[in-house]
């Protein structure tokens, strides 16, 4: 039977292993036992030595690389990463997880792209490992992990509040009774399979949440105590590997949409209404939450919902020229059109706009602050209907889409088609 | 009934009938931590950021100004006069009788019938808040044209907008339940909402039943044609009898899928969602006069026996009639 710490790196057992064997001075040393386990992993490809990690340092990088390549699809060759799902590497793996968390937490802001990729990669690894747990022991393992993470298989739903806040799960995806989320065997037999599926889905979400909280703690500590140099070095290596994934070639392939300025005619009705000015009540959310993210993505990365890559503003606008000279003036102008003008009433909203672009709470975006917050993607039509119904005046095209940015891309595509441009891709290609 | 109050009516109400004791304890105990807002002209609450140190100051203001409408915040602040130092917010659901998506009365404003419907919806929401979410300390306020549900359970008071939005969708059935699992042979299977007799699928089934049984045929449901609507009306008794499977087979699985999607959207209109997700909302002050319809915004002690046309009518209206 596999150990729970192969899936839950926060278990007591996991902590003990890290305490006993997590000597940072030894992480670059080659470990024969690790290499041996990998070589004897069923289905593991062994034709390229560079793909086989020999030390904890290399295993750390492989963990991130696996996720980047899996998400990147084209290059992904699962045969090179089979060892990640061999439970025999559990002890090495759990140390690696903690090394990575310490390195990333110490060097990067918990909202940075590097942190998010690490959190997502952990969620994905846990999901895959759970899928591979043998049927006969699956229930037992899951029960043990749930008890480790929640102290109960019937937690009060408020214990899952952070998961709801971060949208890692939906309340409507749980089965609740008297305030408790049913995750045990007490449900009627007919729906037990559904409960099993909820149990399996909630574990990666819980571990991602715990990882995020862990990064916050490490980040706080790093402000007081200087991290070990090897952790800084590892963080730099991870950053390089991630940046390579997000490198945007200057020459685009034929057929992709060329970089262009914003096309105001293609804006959806809710955005046009926002730009005209919004009355107090809806004003702040319309400018800060809706317009800021819409304009920045429409100008810099309209393909975000197709590619789903956590890019930063500077990946597309390395000098922030476009952001400062095109995007922000447009948002500020719309803010001035509001009634009463947004910044007259709430000058601190300028800070919130900067934060929504991923540059933390500062008056203007600066490269050195990037990653202090998340670059918010445009809110969905469903959210607009709840938060800003006054702006939602749907036209025919709106009925077919679920996000204002998709509307923008679709409308531009339609316009080009009508103009007889044959060299246009159907999808939202990156500019 | 439901006539707009004159300035004289308001003066009479606030000097002779209104008493501070009519404000529920949960507000009176925290007057100094709440923002107050007033509408003096009928144009909306433009007089905001008001702060009262205690009941005496509020009483004096109400009697002297006899406002067109009075509001207090659902949030508690350290500095309510600036709306700064947020401490907590009640969880609120606003059921407005005139905005119910399946109104059977077809009146222009509000009437006894749609107020009754609003009460039914309130009762359903409270059941879910208690039975599923395990929430306590739930107060109901008759607002004048509908009801406010105000939840003061300590576990919810600090929750952010995202969590509130998720609770909202849960209690009104705003998401289509998607429950699937992988069987022993690795095939993904899913169960229809009406096959799961507990949790959110049950809530969704109940709300959908309410909507379908209250359709009058004039409602527009996305992707549902007039012909289909007629078929739904013809066979909806099956839903009343809990024979969902038969109903789905008759209207066809594809049409049923579209109907369910449309109903989830209609469900979202059962309450004003903006009120629930807004942490800094001001709500009508219980005990104050809703001057547009000359009704008293009233703290409801017992929802079942509460009759707004008996319990929320000010003396000046009774005298006139």
């Amino acid at each position: 039977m596999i150990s729970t710490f192969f899936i839950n790196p926060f278990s007591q057992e996991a902590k003990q292993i890290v305490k006993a064997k997590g000597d940072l001075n030894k992480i670059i040393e080659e470990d024969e036992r690790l290499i041996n386990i990998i070589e004897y992993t069923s289905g593991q490809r062994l034709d390229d030595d560079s793909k086989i990690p020999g030390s904890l340092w290399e295993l750390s990088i492989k963990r991130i690389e696996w996720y980047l390549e899996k998400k990147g699809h084209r290059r992904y060759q699962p045969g090179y990463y089979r060892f990640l799902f061999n439970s025999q590497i559990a002890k090495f793996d759990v140390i690696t997880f903690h090394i990575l968390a310490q390195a990333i937490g110490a060097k990067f802001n918990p909202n940075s792209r590097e942190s998010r990729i690490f959190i997502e990669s952990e969620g994905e690894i846990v999901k895959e490992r759970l899928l591979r747990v043998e049927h006969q022991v699956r229930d037992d393992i899951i029960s043990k992990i749930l008890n480790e993470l929640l102290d109960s298989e019937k937690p009060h739903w408020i214990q899952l509040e952070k998961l709801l806040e971060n949208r890692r799960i939906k309340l409507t995806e749980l089965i609740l009774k008297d305030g408790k989320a049913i995750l045990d065997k007490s449900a009627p037999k007919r729906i037990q399979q559904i409960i099993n599926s909820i149990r399996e889905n909630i574990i990666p979400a819980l571990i991602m949440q715990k990882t995020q909280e862990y990064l916050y703690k490490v980040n706080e500590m790093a402000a007081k105590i200087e991290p070990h140099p090897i952790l800084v070095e590892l963080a730099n290596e991870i950053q390089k590997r991630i940046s390579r994934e997000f490198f945007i070639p200057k020459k685009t392939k034929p057929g992709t949409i060329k970089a262009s300025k914003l096309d105001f005619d293609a804006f959806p009705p809710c955005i046009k209404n926002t730009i005209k000015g919004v009355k107090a009540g809806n004003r702040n959310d319309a400018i800060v939450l809706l317009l800021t993210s819409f304009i920045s993505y429409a100008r810099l990365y309209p393909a975000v919902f197709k590619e789903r890559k956590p890019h930063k503003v500077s990946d597309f606008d390395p000098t922030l020229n476009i952001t400062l000279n095109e995007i922000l003036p447009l948002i500020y102008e719309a803010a001035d059109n509001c009634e009463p003008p947004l910044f007259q009433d709430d000058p601190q909203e300028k800070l919130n706009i900067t934060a929504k672009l991923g540059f933390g709470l500062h008056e203007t975006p600066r490269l050195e602050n990037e990653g202090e917050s998340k670059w918010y993607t445009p809110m969905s039509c469903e959210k607009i209907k709840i938060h800003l119904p006054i702006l939602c005046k749907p036209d025919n095209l709106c009925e077919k889409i679920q996000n204002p940015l998709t509307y923008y891309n679709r409308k531009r595509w339609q316009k080009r088609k009508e103009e007889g441009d044959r060299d246009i891709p159907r999808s939202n290609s990156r500019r | 009934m439901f006539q707009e109050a004159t300035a004289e009516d308001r003066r009479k109400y606030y000097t002779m009938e209104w008493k501070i004791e009519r404000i529920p304890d949960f507000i009176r105990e925290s007057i100094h931590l709440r923002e107050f807002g007033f509408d003096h002209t009928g144009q909306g609450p433009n007089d905001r950021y008001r702060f009262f140190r205690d009941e005496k100051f509020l009483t004096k203001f109400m009697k002297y100004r006899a406002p067109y409408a009075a509001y207090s915040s659902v949030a508690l602040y350290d500095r309510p006069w600036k709306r700064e130092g947020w401490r907590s917010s009640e969880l609120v659901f606003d059921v407005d009788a005139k905005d119910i998506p399946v109104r059977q009365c077809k009146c222009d404003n509000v009437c006894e019938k749609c107020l009754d419907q609003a009460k039914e919806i309130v009762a359903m929401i409270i059941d879910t808040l208690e039975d599923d979410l395990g929430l306590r300390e739930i107060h109901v306020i008759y607002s004048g044209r509908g009801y406010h549900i105000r939840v003061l359970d300590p576990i919810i008071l600090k929750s952010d907008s995202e969590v509130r939005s998720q609770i909202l969708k849960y209690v009104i059935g705003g998401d289509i339940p998607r429950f699937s699992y992988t069987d022993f042979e690795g095939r993904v299977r899913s169960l229809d909402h009406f096959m799961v007799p507990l949790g959110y699928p049950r809530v969704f089934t109940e709300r959908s039943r309410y909507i379908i049984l209250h359709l009058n045929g004039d409602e527009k449901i996305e992707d549902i044609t007039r012909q289909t609507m007629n078929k739904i009306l013809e066979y909806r008794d099956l839903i009343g009898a809990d024979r969902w499977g038969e109903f789905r087979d008759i209207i066809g699985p594809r049409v049923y899928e579209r109907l369910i999607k449309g109903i989830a959207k209609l469900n979202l209109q059962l309450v004003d969602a903006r009120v629930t997700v807004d942490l800094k909302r001001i709500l009508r002050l219980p005990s104050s006069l809703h001057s547009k319809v000359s009704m008293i915004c009233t703290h409801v002690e017992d929802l079942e026996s509460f009759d707004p046309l008996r319990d929320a009518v000010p003396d000046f209206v009774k005298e006139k009639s």
Side-chain angles (χ1 to χ4, degrees):
Chain A
M1 190 154 123
I2 68 161
S3 313
T4 59
F5 64 79
F6 187 48
I7 289 165
N8 173 21
F10 298 99
S11 67
Q12 278 308 321
E13 219 178 330
K15 282 176 191 165
Q16 280 163 9
I17 292 168
V18 176
K19 215 173 172 184
K21 297 185 175 168
D23 183 354
L24 285 174
N25 297 312
K26 291 183 179 168
I27 65 171
I28 42 173
E29 286 175 17
E30 203 166 273
D31 193 317
E32 276 303 320
R33 288 166 306 163
L34 175 63
I35 296 171
N36 205 31
I37 293 169
I38 294 170
E39 281 177 353
Y40 284 95
T41 297
S42 158
Q44 175 69 38
R45 280 182 68 173
L46 300 167
D47 55 347
D48 183 351
D49 274 356
S50 72
K51 301 273 185 189
I52 299 172
S55 64
L56 293 174
W57 167 283
E58 285 174 8
L59 183 59
S60 306
I61 294 166
K62 287 288 163 208
R63 252 175 157 264
I64 298 288
E65 191 177 89
W66 165 76
Y67 178 69
L68 291 173
E69 298 208 348
K70 189 168 184 254
K71 286 283 148 183
H73 304 301
R74 264 165 256 138
R75 280 196 307 267
Y76 182 51
Q77 289 176 298
Y80 284 124
Y81 297 97
R82 291 268 191 257
F83 60 84
L84 280 176
F85 308 100
N86 177 356
S87 63
Q88 285 178 305
I89 66 152
K91 282 186 184 169
F92 296 97
D93 181 75
V94 78
I95 298 170
T96 308
F97 168 83
H98 286 273
I99 291 170
L100 271 171
Q102 300 271 340
I104 290 172
K107 169 89 197 264
F108 306 107
N109 190 287
N111 290 309
S112 64
R113 174 166 71 195
E114 288 75 12
S115 297
R116 271 182 290 138
I117 286 175
F118 173 56
I119 295 167
E120 284 166 17
S121 71
E122 185 55 23
E124 206 60 31
I125 283 183
V126 169
K127 220 183 275 177
E128 287 227 4
R129 285 180 182 169
L130 273 173
L131 278 175
R132 291 159 199 251
V133 176
E134 286 164 18
H135 181 68
Q136 300 91 307
V137 291
R138 181 185 288 261
D139 268 357
D140 272 355
I141 292 280
I142 288 174
S143 289
K144 273 188 193 164
I145 296 172
L146 283 173
N147 278 302
E148 284 169 2
L149 293 166
L150 292 167
D151 299 324
S152 160
E153 285 181 76
K154 262 190 181 179
H156 196 285
W157 66 268
I158 206 76
Q159 273 182 265
L160 309 171
E161 191 180 20
K162 288 282 166 209
L163 269 60
L164 298 170
E165 257 177 41
N166 292 320
R167 285 187 266 171
R168 300 204 198 282
I169 55 162
K170 282 181 173 182
L171 199 59
T172 53
E173 288 167 356
L174 298 172
I175 299 287
L176 302 178
K177 199 173 176 231
D178 298 327
K180 309 269 188 190
I182 302 176
L183 300 171
D184 64 357
K185 299 276 171 196
S186 67
K189 213 174 174 183
R190 192 151 60 102
I191 64 159
Q192 194 54 54
Q193 273 162 314
I194 283 182
I195 303 286
N196 288 345
S197 151
I198 299 172
R199 280 155 60 90
E200 283 173 33
N201 289 336
I202 210 164
I203 288 175
L206 282 164
I207 287 176
M208 284 167 82
Q209 185 58 37
K210 280 206 168 263
T211 307
Q212 186 178 2
E213 286 161 15
Y214 186 21
L215 292 181
Y216 268 99
K217 269 189 207 156
V218 174
N219 196 254
E220 260 176 46
M221 288 294 289
K224 293 175 201 157
I225 308 162
E226 207 174 319
H228 192 293
I230 200 122
L231 293 176
V232 179
E233 213 178 311
L234 178 62
N236 288 335
E237 198 58 39
I238 300 281
Q239 187 179 32
K240 262 191 248 164
R241 180 64 193 82
I242 290 174
S243 297
R244 210 161 73 216
E245 199 67 23
F246 289 85
F247 171 73
I248 299 157
K250 282 187 180 164
K251 281 183 185 171
T252 50
K253 287 176 197 166
T256 54
I257 300 169
K258 286 173 192 166
S260 64
K261 301 262 171 170
L262 288 165
D263 181 352
F264 291 81
D265 290 338
F267 284 1
C270 54
I271 298 297
K272 284 181 180 163
N273 291 333
T274 305
I275 289 173
K276 275 184 212 156
V278 186
K279 283 189 180 167
N282 295 300
R283 183 195 57 184
N284 298 36
D285 282 357
I287 300 295
V288 178
L289 293 176
L290 175 63
L291 191 67
T292 302
S293 53
F294 174 84
I295 295 288
S296 54
Y297 274 96
R299 177 66 184 90
L300 298 172
Y301 183 29
V304 57
F305 294 123
K306 186 173 157 49
E307 296 174 356
R308 302 237 166 231
K309 280 187 167 185
H311 274 290
K312 297 192 279 193
V313 164
S314 64
D315 289 335
F316 305 96
D317 183 15
T319 58
L320 301 189
N321 249 338
I322 300 172
T323 308
L324 298 173
N325 300 321
E326 288 182 44
I327 294 170
L328 281 178
L330 194 63
I331 298 166
Y332 289 173
E333 199 184 316
D336 275 345
N337 292 341
C338 290
E339 214 184 292
L342 177 63
F343 302 135
Q344 237 175 55
D345 246 19
D346 286 320
Q348 80 284 358
E349 290 292 28
K350 266 195 183 170
L351 275 62
N352 285 329
I353 288 172
T354 310
K356 296 289 176 273
L357 293 169
F359 296 90
L361 284 166
H362 300 279
E363 183 86 13
T364 43
R366 286 201 183 87
L367 282 171
E368 62 263 31
N369 302 122
E370 193 166 32
E372 285 180 22
S373 54
K374 197 178 136 187
W375 183 16
Y376 272 66
T377 49
M379 59 165 89
S380 65
C381 296
E382 193 190 318
K383 269 229 146 142
I384 294 169
K385 275 178 193 151
I386 292 178
H387 289 266
L388 300 161
I390 201 148
L391 296 173
C392 180
K393 307 275 180 243
D395 62 14
N396 290 342
L397 182 54
C398 286
E399 284 173 18
K400 297 174 192 127
I401 55 103
Q402 288 169 351
N403 191 289
L405 192 62
T406 321
Y407 180 111
Y408 179 66
N409 291 324
R410 185 81 63 92
K411 187 82 178 221
R412 281 194 313 159
W413 182 79
Q414 277 180 356
K415 278 177 72 182
R416 290 207 175 102
K417 200 175 157 197
E418 280 159 21
E419 285 160 12
D421 184 351
R422 283 166 186 244
D423 187 25
I424 48 168
R426 179 70 181 82
S427 56
N428 313 327
S429 301
R430 186 196 293 160
R431 296 166 183 208
Chain B
M1 204 67 90
F2 303 122
Q3 298 290 309
E4 189 170 8
T6 63
E8 185 48 37
D9 293 337
R10 278 151 41 199
R11 177 116 0 247
K12 215 170 173 180
Y13 174 74
Y14 281 109
T15 52
M16 298 171 71
E17 195 177 348
W18 181 83
K19 286 187 183 71
I20 191 90
E21 291 79 15
R22 285 196 180 174
I23 299 178
D25 288 348
F26 72 85
I27 295 178
R28 280 169 64 195
E29 284 159 4
S30 53
I31 281 180
H32 62 296
L33 298 174
R34 291 182 193 258
E35 179 211 354
F36 282 77
F38 298 95
D39 174 2
H40 300 292
T41 58
Q43 306 292 310
N46 294 323
D47 178 10
R48 288 194 65 170
Y49 293 90
R50 286 273 184 180
F51 158 73
F52 298 100
R53 195 156 293 141
D54 56 33
E55 292 180 8
K56 260 192 278 174
F57 283 94
L58 177 63
T59 307
K60 216 168 153 187
F61 184 94
M62 297 294 269
K63 289 198 180 277
Y64 182 68
R65 298 292 297 267
Y68 188 86
Y71 303 82
S72 67
S73 61
V74 298
L76 304 184
Y77 304 97
D78 292 332
R79 295 172 296 284
W81 56 91
K82 282 181 167 175
R83 255 191 274 167
E84 281 178 2
W86 181 84
R87 288 187 183 186
S88 62
S89 292
E90 298 160 20
L91 169 68
V92 180
F93 301 92
D94 178 13
V95 182
D96 199 326
K98 71 174 185 352
D99 296 328
I100 295 170
V102 284
R103 287 216 301 176
Q104 297 198 300
C105 57
K106 298 180 184 172
C107 71
D108 294 334
N109 193 3
V110 285
C111 68
E112 207 176 336
K113 218 171 177 179
C114 55
L115 281 173
D116 269 349
Q117 251 190 288
K119 202 164 112 173
E120 269 182 280
I121 294 166
V122 168
M124 289 195 297
I125 292 175
I126 292 175
D127 279 350
T128 306
L129 288 170
E130 288 178 341
D131 298 346
D132 286 35
L133 291 148
L135 294 173
R136 301 289 175 260
E137 294 192 48
I138 300 173
H139 296 261
V140 178
I141 312 291
Y142 170 69
S143 67
R145 285 209 282 205
Y147 293 87
H148 295 153
I149 302 170
R150 301 175 72 152
V151 186
L152 281 105
D153 194 316
I155 67 163
I156 201 70
L157 297 179
K158 299 260 185 197
S159 297
D160 75 354
S161 288
E162 178 59 38
V163 174
R164 287 165 197 253
S165 147
Q166 295 218 30
I167 294 173
L168 170 90
K169 284 187 185 166
Y170 191 103
V171 300
I172 61 176
D175 267 347
I176 301 170
R178 302 252 180 243
F179 285 92
S180 56
Y181 61 90
T182 311
D183 69 11
F184 300 131
E185 285 150 6
R187 281 176 299 194
V188 177
R189 305 230 173 238
S190 60
L191 289 180
D192 276 313
H193 62 93
F194 52 83
M195 295 162 89
V196 184
L198 73 169
Y200 180 66
R202 184 185 50 83
V203 175
F204 185 80
T205 303
E206 279 177 10
R207 303 296 179 267
S208 304
R209 179 188 292 121
Y210 181 87
I211 292 282
I212 295 172
L213 296 183
H214 285 80
L215 286 171
N216 59 41
D218 297 335
E219 296 85 356
K220 277 194 179 151
I221 305 181
E222 211 176 278
D223 292 332
I224 295 294
T225 60
R226 160 86 16 216
Q227 205 184 354
T228 310
M229 180 64 103
N230 289 339
K231 208 168 176 184
I232 292 165
L233 296 179
E234 192 183 340
Y235 291 100
R236 67 176 165 186
D237 286 351
L238 289 170
I239 282 172
D242 225 3
R243 288 154 63 189
W244 287 85
E246 281 175 64
F247 176 77
R248 186 196 48 193
D249 291 346
I250 288 172
I251 69 164
R254 279 192 184 173
V255 176
Y256 184 77
E257 187 77 15
R258 293 208 301 267
L259 173 66
I260 287 303
K261 210 170 143 194
I263 284 178
K265 284 191 178 164
L266 280 187
N267 286 346
L268 279 172
Q269 296 168 34
L270 288 170
V271 300
D272 183 345
R274 283 171 305 169
V275 178
T276 306
V277 297
D278 189 350
L279 300 176
K280 297 189 170 181
R281 198 82 179 177
I282 51 171
L283 283 187
R284 262 179 209 284
L285 178 69
S287 80
S288 69
L289 188 68
H290 191 316
S291 298
K292 191 104 188 154
V293 286
S294 293
M295 298 285 272
I296 303 169
C297 179
T298 307
H299 185 217
V300 178
E301 299 293 343
D302 176 32
L303 184 63
E304 213 171 311
S305 62
F306 179 78
D307 176 2
L309 304 184
R310 181 192 65 210
D311 303 325
V313 180
D315 288 346
F316 69 82
V317 172
K318 287 178 194 160
E319 283 162 17
K320 279 181 193 171
S321 59

